[in-house]
Amino acid sequence: MYKKILLTIVSLAVLGIIIFLIVIFTDFNARSEAGQKSDTAVTSMNDVKDEAKSEVSKHMNPFGDSVQQKELKDKDFINYIHKMSHQKVSAEEKWGFYQITAERIKWLLAGLDKTEHTLKHGELYRSILKRWINGDFSNVVNDHNDLWEIQGGSIGKATGKLSKEQEKKYMQKNKGKE
């Protein structure tokens, strides 16, 4: 009788351990699969966000605008070139700023190739940009003022070219304002 009781207790213990292991294993797998699904969902959401950012940046020009080269008008060239010239000139007032970069100049030159036939001042933009792409800013005061006059400017006429130190200070002051 003692052996039957012992055998029953051992059998129940083994059965309990088996049931316990099954429950633990099943619960672990369920959690693991849920975690994988969750990780996959998070990864998918991140992929969607990255794709959206990439899609937006594909449609942005080097100035951070949505205007594409084939859509450029006189007002766009004047706006971009005029605001870039602020980096190099002194004036009583300056509204707007874009840092002069080779990427921006090349982008505008390529835009000119696509739209020059529709522009009133295409030759002016090209002469400015060709000098600038070669690092020639000797005429930047006149460049600024030509564009400023086309815009009908009354305040902010360039009065001189900034020194290297003045330009550096201007750049630091306007960093992140593009």
Side-chain angles (χ1 to χ4, degrees), residues 20 56 69 87 98 113 124 130-131 133 142-143 178:
F20 177 76
V56 167
Q69 288 173 325
Q87 175 180 333
Y98 288 116
D113 292 339
L124 173 65
K130 282 196 165 223
R131 277 186 277 106
I133 197 66
N142 290 330
D143 296 339
E178 295 181 85

Side-chain angles (χ1 to χ4, degrees), residues 136-147:
D136 178 3
F137 297 96
S138 59
N139 201 38
V140 72
V141 173
N142 290 330
D143 296 339
H144 172 277
N145 290 339
D146 288 344
L147 297 168

